[in-house]
Amino acid sequence: MRRPDAILDPMLDAPAATLPSYAADGRLYCLSDATGSAQVWEVRPDGAAAARTAHRDAVAFVAGSPVDGGAIFGRDAAGDERIQLYRLPPAGVAQALTAAPKVMHGWGAFAPDGSAVAITANARDPAHADPVILPLDGGPMRRLREVQGPHELAAWHPDGGSVLLAAAPRAFESLLHRVDIATGASTPATPGGEGWRHQAPRWRRDGEGFWLLTDRGREFLGVAWMAPGSTPRFLHAPEADVERLEVSPDGDRLAVVVNLGGWSQLRLLDAATGQVVAEPRHPPGVIQKLTWRPDGGAVAFDLLQPTRPGTIWRAEAGQAAARLLFAAGAAPAGAQGWAATSFPTHDGRDIPAFLIQPEGPRPAGGWPALIWVHGGPEMQALPNWRPDLQAIAALGIAVLVPNIRGSTGYGRAYAALDDRELRTDAVRDVAAAQAWLARQPEVDAAGIAVMGQSYGGWMVLMAVTHYPDLWAAAVEYYGIARWKTFFERTGPWRIGHRAAEYGDPVRDAELLESLSPLHKAAAIRCPLFVAQGMTDPRVPPQESEQIVAALRARDIPVEYLTFPDEGHGFLKRDNRRAAYRRVLAFLARHLLRPSDDRR
């Protein structure tokens, strides 16, 4: 059999560049994992770049300063999500802005004059993220007001007198409040109480109103204009989600990203009318972040493609096509594209999906296959760079990536199809995916596995307990085994929002127990691989430990891999290498036939 590392290493070693952000002097910052974890890099106008930070733990974000060539960035410790903030000067080393390792600091916005930043912090109570002002001259942090639950600082008013605070009491509802800097008084900035989303507010320079993304009265997010307290007026509302919004420095144009079946499309709009003035061509892929050059003459963005890691592109004014600005490394050879497809499910609807087929002639008995289920659940599997899935395909295993009901990107109604008591309908979608694959002549019907992480890990456990005879193997990372113990140990800042999505741990205890795969562990027939970060504050290690113990007590084959310095996701390249090698070996052992010429 081909060694897993010979397949994986070229995929995993290809570095990514993502999340660009311009500073006021025109220098461009981004994150790159070329050194083993995501660090801050500075990209010059000619595309040359250099690392500006060197930590083992990954940097979560970088934001260029609006007044000089510096930046602010944040990183946690070993994946614990307690983000600490640092100031990166135009030259020299970073300086810590916060030093409270038990506190989560949420990035917000620079003050218009660059003298301070508005952020959130849960120092008062772990469950509540209060809005605070952090001076950049070393002065003390000042809390504006006490709030209940998680919040984000969305924008700072151009006159410097107030900030917009965002609250999301439940999935598919978000509200904005205007908080006075001097008094802490809060007034609603968006209409509330009706379950709509109001996101990404961007003030006009005169401060009379802001652009935002909202789905108010619609299935999809669109671009709208509104004055605080009024009703949004749509400017650009396609039958697809508009997912990113940034305003040009002069306020005349809007750069937006539209989600077309998972693929991103960059559009430039007239800020007053919403009319599309340009659609710069770029390769197919996923755009995570936009940033305007300070002179307004270009927009930089990252692009994650199925066949290569993230790169930084620039769309110049008047140019029909965007151009590659920075790639942290060469594209790896042998990566396969993601083909859009769909399959029928139990209630007659079609489930959208992507299919990755192995290269070369298929074995006589057909390719074995893997179904990869995304987390969330209010997320969407996107055709971006996944070195683990590419390595699995290179091993000779077809990969199906479905967007089962409950996924975003297909409208509010589709996302609501798995709410609460309907949760098992999404599990039936996974079983329908297996049935569809088994009918394909190029697939080995007896060799189909399922894999997922976080909520997707829970979906894996539900699939192998509710449909135990369908699977040849299963892989899950930090999945939820029992909702009761999950709610007892997850980060307190997550409980309210998760309860609104999954069910209240007290009021809906019976429902949640029925949705806990730990209680049906005896039904599992296939071998299981489990991986867990031991500092995970979202799905604590006990969830993995419970399911592993239950299987070992019943002599059901299970492999368990842990990482002491990872949280909710494996962010360090050496840890990813260790996890993915084990997964490849596990899948090869249980899916590939001895006669397969790839063994």
Side-chain angles (χ1 to χ4, degrees), residues 103-142:
V103 176
M104 300 181 70
H105 301 93
W107 174 244
F110 282 96
D113 63 3
S115 64
V117 293
I119 62 173
T120 58
N122 65 347
R124 176 179 59 87
D125 187 307
H128 309 305
D130 296 326
V132 299
I133 301 299
L134 176 61
L136 297 182
D137 62 2
M141 189 181 300
R142 179 169 65 89

Short mmCIF file of all heavy atoms in Angstrom, two decimals, residues 103-142:
data_model
loop_
_atom_site.label_atom_id
_atom_site.label_comp_id
_atom_site.label_asym_id
_atom_site.label_seq_id
_atom_site.Cartn_x
_atom_site.Cartn_y
_atom_site.Cartn_z
N VAL A 103 -9.70 35.43 29.77
CA VAL A 103 -10.72 36.29 29.18
C VAL A 103 -10.71 36.16 27.66
O VAL A 103 -9.64 36.13 27.04
CB VAL A 103 -10.49 37.76 29.59
CG1 VAL A 103 -11.50 38.68 28.90
CG2 VAL A 103 -10.57 37.90 31.10
N MET A 104 -11.91 36.10 27.07
CA MET A 104 -12.05 36.12 25.63
C MET A 104 -12.21 37.57 25.16
O MET A 104 -13.08 38.28 25.66
CB MET A 104 -13.27 35.31 25.19
CG MET A 104 -13.23 33.85 25.58
SD MET A 104 -14.70 32.96 25.00
CE MET A 104 -14.40 32.95 23.23
N HIS A 105 -11.38 37.99 24.23
CA HIS A 105 -11.47 39.32 23.65
C HIS A 105 -11.90 39.19 22.20
O HIS A 105 -11.23 38.53 21.40
CB HIS A 105 -10.12 40.04 23.74
CG HIS A 105 -9.61 40.19 25.14
ND1 HIS A 105 -8.75 39.28 25.72
CD2 HIS A 105 -9.86 41.14 26.09
CE1 HIS A 105 -8.47 39.66 26.95
NE2 HIS A 105 -9.13 40.78 27.21
N GLY A 106 -13.03 39.80 21.87
CA GLY A 106 -13.56 39.73 20.51
C GLY A 106 -13.22 40.99 19.74
O GLY A 106 -13.52 42.11 20.20
N TRP A 107 -12.62 40.83 18.56
CA TRP A 107 -12.25 41.99 17.77
C TRP A 107 -13.48 42.77 17.33
O TRP A 107 -14.56 42.21 17.08
CB TRP A 107 -11.46 41.56 16.54
CG TRP A 107 -11.18 42.70 15.60
CD1 TRP A 107 -11.61 42.85 14.32
CD2 TRP A 107 -10.42 43.88 15.90
NE1 TRP A 107 -11.18 44.03 13.80
CE2 TRP A 107 -10.44 44.70 14.75
CE3 TRP A 107 -9.74 44.34 17.03
CZ2 TRP A 107 -9.81 45.93 14.69
CZ3 TRP A 107 -9.11 45.56 16.97
CH2 TRP A 107 -9.13 46.34 15.82
N GLY A 108 -13.31 44.09 17.23
CA GLY A 108 -14.39 44.96 16.81
C GLY A 108 -13.98 45.95 15.75
O GLY A 108 -14.04 45.66 14.56
N ALA A 109 -13.51 47.16 16.16
CA ALA A 109 -13.23 48.20 15.19
C ALA A 109 -12.26 49.22 15.78
O ALA A 109 -12.23 49.43 17.00
CB ALA A 109 -14.52 48.91 14.77
N PHE A 110 -11.49 49.88 14.91
CA PHE A 110 -10.64 50.99 15.31
C PHE A 110 -11.50 52.25 15.52
O PHE A 110 -12.49 52.47 14.81
CB PHE A 110 -9.62 51.31 14.22
CG PHE A 110 -8.45 50.37 14.17
CD1 PHE A 110 -8.44 49.29 13.31
CD2 PHE A 110 -7.34 50.58 14.98
CE1 PHE A 110 -7.36 48.44 13.24
CE2 PHE A 110 -6.24 49.74 14.92
CZ PHE A 110 -6.25 48.66 14.05
N ALA A 111 -11.09 53.08 16.47
CA ALA A 111 -11.65 54.43 16.55
C ALA A 111 -11.29 55.19 15.29
O ALA A 111 -10.24 54.93 14.67
CB ALA A 111 -11.10 55.15 17.78
N PRO A 112 -12.13 56.12 14.85
CA PRO A 112 -11.83 56.87 13.61
C PRO A 112 -10.45 57.53 13.63
O PRO A 112 -9.80 57.63 12.58
CB PRO A 112 -12.96 57.90 13.55
CG PRO A 112 -14.09 57.25 14.27
CD PRO A 112 -13.46 56.48 15.37
N ASP A 113 -10.01 57.98 14.80
CA ASP A 113 -8.69 58.62 14.87
C ASP A 113 -7.57 57.64 15.19
O ASP A 113 -6.41 58.03 15.34
CB ASP A 113 -8.69 59.75 15.89
CG ASP A 113 -8.95 59.27 17.32
OD1 ASP A 113 -9.08 58.04 17.53
OD2 ASP A 113 -9.01 60.12 18.23
N GLY A 114 -7.90 56.35 15.29
CA GLY A 114 -6.90 55.33 15.53
C GLY A 114 -6.35 55.28 16.93
O GLY A 114 -5.42 54.52 17.22
N SER A 115 -6.94 56.02 17.88
CA SER A 115 -6.38 56.10 19.22
C SER A 115 -6.79 54.93 20.11
O SER A 115 -6.19 54.72 21.17
CB SER A 115 -6.81 57.40 19.90
OG SER A 115 -8.23 57.42 20.06
N ALA A 116 -7.82 54.20 19.72
CA ALA A 116 -8.35 53.12 20.55
C ALA A 116 -9.03 52.11 19.64
O ALA A 116 -9.23 52.34 18.45
CB ALA A 116 -9.34 53.68 21.59
N VAL A 117 -9.39 50.98 20.25
CA VAL A 117 -10.21 49.99 19.55
C VAL A 117 -11.40 49.65 20.43
O VAL A 117 -11.32 49.71 21.66
CB VAL A 117 -9.42 48.71 19.20
CG1 VAL A 117 -8.35 49.01 18.17
CG2 VAL A 117 -8.82 48.07 20.44
N ALA A 118 -12.51 49.34 19.77
CA ALA A 118 -13.69 48.85 20.47
C ALA A 118 -13.72 47.33 20.31
O ALA A 118 -13.61 46.82 19.19
CB ALA A 118 -14.95 49.47 19.88
N ILE A 119 -13.85 46.63 21.42
CA ILE A 119 -13.84 45.17 21.41
C ILE A 119 -14.91 44.67 22.38
O ILE A 119 -15.60 45.46 23.01
CB ILE A 119 -12.45 44.62 21.81
CG1 ILE A 119 -12.11 45.06 23.25
CG2 ILE A 119 -11.37 45.07 20.84
CD1 ILE A 119 -10.84 44.43 23.80
N THR A 120 -15.03 43.36 22.49
CA THR A 120 -15.84 42.76 23.54
C THR A 120 -14.93 41.94 24.44
O THR A 120 -13.87 41.47 24.02
CB THR A 120 -16.96 41.87 22.98
OG1 THR A 120 -16.38 40.84 22.16
CG2 THR A 120 -17.94 42.69 22.16
N ALA A 121 -15.35 41.78 25.70
CA ALA A 121 -14.58 41.00 26.65
C ALA A 121 -15.53 40.40 27.69
O ALA A 121 -16.48 41.05 28.11
CB ALA A 121 -13.52 41.86 27.35
N ASN A 122 -15.27 39.14 28.06
CA ASN A 122 -16.13 38.49 29.05
C ASN A 122 -15.45 38.41 30.41
O ASN A 122 -15.61 37.44 31.15
CB ASN A 122 -16.57 37.10 28.57
CG ASN A 122 -15.40 36.12 28.42
OD1 ASN A 122 -14.23 36.52 28.44
ND2 ASN A 122 -15.72 34.85 28.27
N ALA A 123 -14.68 39.46 30.76
CA ALA A 123 -13.99 39.49 32.04
C ALA A 123 -14.96 39.51 33.22
O ALA A 123 -14.67 38.93 34.28
CB ALA A 123 -13.07 40.71 32.10
N ARG A 124 -16.09 40.19 33.07
CA ARG A 124 -17.06 40.30 34.17
C ARG A 124 -17.70 38.95 34.47
O ARG A 124 -17.90 38.59 35.63
CB ARG A 124 -18.13 41.33 33.81
CG ARG A 124 -19.25 41.48 34.82
CD ARG A 124 -20.25 42.54 34.38
NE ARG A 124 -20.85 42.24 33.10
CZ ARG A 124 -21.95 41.50 32.95
NH1 ARG A 124 -22.55 40.97 34.01
NH2 ARG A 124 -22.46 41.28 31.74
N ASP A 125 -18.05 38.22 33.42
CA ASP A 125 -18.72 36.93 33.55
C ASP A 125 -18.45 36.15 32.28
O ASP A 125 -18.64 36.69 31.17
CB ASP A 125 -20.23 37.14 33.74
CG ASP A 125 -20.97 35.85 34.05
OD1 ASP A 125 -20.82 34.88 33.27
OD2 ASP A 125 -21.72 35.81 35.04
N PRO A 126 -18.01 34.90 32.35
CA PRO A 126 -17.67 34.15 31.14
C PRO A 126 -18.81 34.04 30.14
O PRO A 126 -18.57 33.87 28.94
CB PRO A 126 -17.27 32.77 31.68
CG PRO A 126 -16.83 33.01 33.07
CD PRO A 126 -17.70 34.13 33.58
N ALA A 127 -20.06 34.14 30.61
CA ALA A 127 -21.20 33.97 29.71
C ALA A 127 -21.56 35.24 28.95
O ALA A 127 -22.36 35.18 28.01
CB ALA A 127 -22.41 33.49 30.50
N HIS A 128 -20.99 36.39 29.33
CA HIS A 128 -21.45 37.66 28.78
C HIS A 128 -20.28 38.46 28.22
O HIS A 128 -19.28 38.70 28.92
CB HIS A 128 -22.16 38.48 29.86
CG HIS A 128 -23.23 37.72 30.58
ND1 HIS A 128 -24.26 37.09 29.92
CD2 HIS A 128 -23.42 37.45 31.90
CE1 HIS A 128 -25.06 36.49 30.80
NE2 HIS A 128 -24.56 36.69 32.01
N ALA A 129 -20.39 38.86 26.97
CA ALA A 129 -19.34 39.62 26.29
C ALA A 129 -19.73 41.09 26.27
O ALA A 129 -20.55 41.52 25.46
CB ALA A 129 -19.13 39.10 24.88
N ASP A 130 -19.15 41.88 27.17
CA ASP A 130 -19.48 43.30 27.28
C ASP A 130 -18.69 44.13 26.27
O ASP A 130 -17.54 43.81 25.96
CB ASP A 130 -19.15 43.80 28.69
CG ASP A 130 -19.98 43.14 29.77
OD1 ASP A 130 -21.15 42.84 29.51
OD2 ASP A 130 -19.43 42.92 30.88
N PRO A 131 -19.27 45.24 25.80
CA PRO A 131 -18.52 46.15 24.94
C PRO A 131 -17.55 46.98 25.77
O PRO A 131 -17.92 47.53 26.82
CB PRO A 131 -19.61 47.01 24.31
CG PRO A 131 -20.72 47.02 25.32
CD PRO A 131 -20.68 45.67 25.97
N VAL A 132 -16.31 47.07 25.31
CA VAL A 132 -15.30 47.84 26.03
C VAL A 132 -14.48 48.66 25.04
O VAL A 132 -14.41 48.33 23.85
CB VAL A 132 -14.37 46.94 26.87
CG1 VAL A 132 -15.13 46.16 27.91
CG2 VAL A 132 -13.60 45.99 25.97
N ILE A 133 -13.88 49.72 25.55
CA ILE A 133 -12.96 50.55 24.78
C ILE A 133 -11.55 50.30 25.31
O ILE A 133 -11.31 50.38 26.52
CB ILE A 133 -13.31 52.04 24.90
CG1 ILE A 133 -14.73 52.30 24.41
CG2 ILE A 133 -12.31 52.89 24.12
CD1 ILE A 133 -14.98 51.94 22.97
N LEU A 134 -10.63 50.00 24.40
CA LEU A 134 -9.24 49.72 24.77
C LEU A 134 -8.34 50.78 24.13
O LEU A 134 -8.12 50.77 22.92
CB LEU A 134 -8.84 48.33 24.28
CG LEU A 134 -7.38 47.90 24.50
CD1 LEU A 134 -7.05 47.88 25.99
CD2 LEU A 134 -7.12 46.54 23.88
N PRO A 135 -7.84 51.73 24.91
CA PRO A 135 -6.93 52.73 24.36
C PRO A 135 -5.62 52.07 23.89
O PRO A 135 -5.15 51.11 24.49
CB PRO A 135 -6.67 53.67 25.54
CG PRO A 135 -7.79 53.41 26.50
CD PRO A 135 -8.14 51.97 26.33
N LEU A 136 -5.05 52.61 22.83
CA LEU A 136 -3.82 52.05 22.31
C LEU A 136 -2.58 52.73 22.87
O LEU A 136 -1.46 52.38 22.48
CB LEU A 136 -3.82 52.15 20.78
CG LEU A 136 -4.93 51.34 20.08
CD1 LEU A 136 -4.82 51.46 18.57
CD2 LEU A 136 -4.88 49.87 20.50
N ASP A 137 -2.76 53.68 23.80
CA ASP A 137 -1.61 54.34 24.43
C ASP A 137 -1.23 53.70 25.76
O ASP A 137 -0.43 54.24 26.51
CB ASP A 137 -1.90 55.82 24.64
CG ASP A 137 -3.09 56.07 25.57
OD1 ASP A 137 -3.66 55.09 26.08
OD2 ASP A 137 -3.43 57.25 25.79
N GLY A 138 -1.84 52.54 26.03
CA GLY A 138 -1.54 51.86 27.29
C GLY A 138 -2.50 52.17 28.41
O GLY A 138 -2.34 51.63 29.51
N GLY A 139 -3.51 52.98 28.16
CA GLY A 139 -4.49 53.30 29.19
C GLY A 139 -5.37 52.12 29.52
O GLY A 139 -5.42 51.12 28.79
N PRO A 140 -6.11 52.20 30.63
CA PRO A 140 -6.94 51.06 31.06
C PRO A 140 -8.16 50.85 30.15
O PRO A 140 -8.70 51.78 29.57
CB PRO A 140 -7.38 51.47 32.47
CG PRO A 140 -7.35 52.97 32.46
CD PRO A 140 -6.20 53.34 31.56
N MET A 141 -8.59 49.60 30.07
CA MET A 141 -9.78 49.23 29.34
C MET A 141 -11.01 49.76 30.08
O MET A 141 -11.06 49.75 31.31
CB MET A 141 -9.84 47.70 29.21
CG MET A 141 -10.91 47.16 28.31
SD MET A 141 -10.88 45.32 28.26
CE MET A 141 -9.22 45.01 27.65
N ARG A 142 -12.00 50.24 29.31
CA ARG A 142 -13.21 50.80 29.93
C ARG A 142 -14.45 50.11 29.39
O ARG A 142 -14.69 50.11 28.18
CB ARG A 142 -13.30 52.31 29.66
CG ARG A 142 -14.54 52.97 30.26
CD ARG A 142 -14.43 54.48 30.19
NE ARG A 142 -14.43 54.99 28.83
CZ ARG A 142 -15.55 55.30 28.15
NH1 ARG A 142 -16.74 55.16 28.73
NH2 ARG A 142 -15.47 55.79 26.94
#
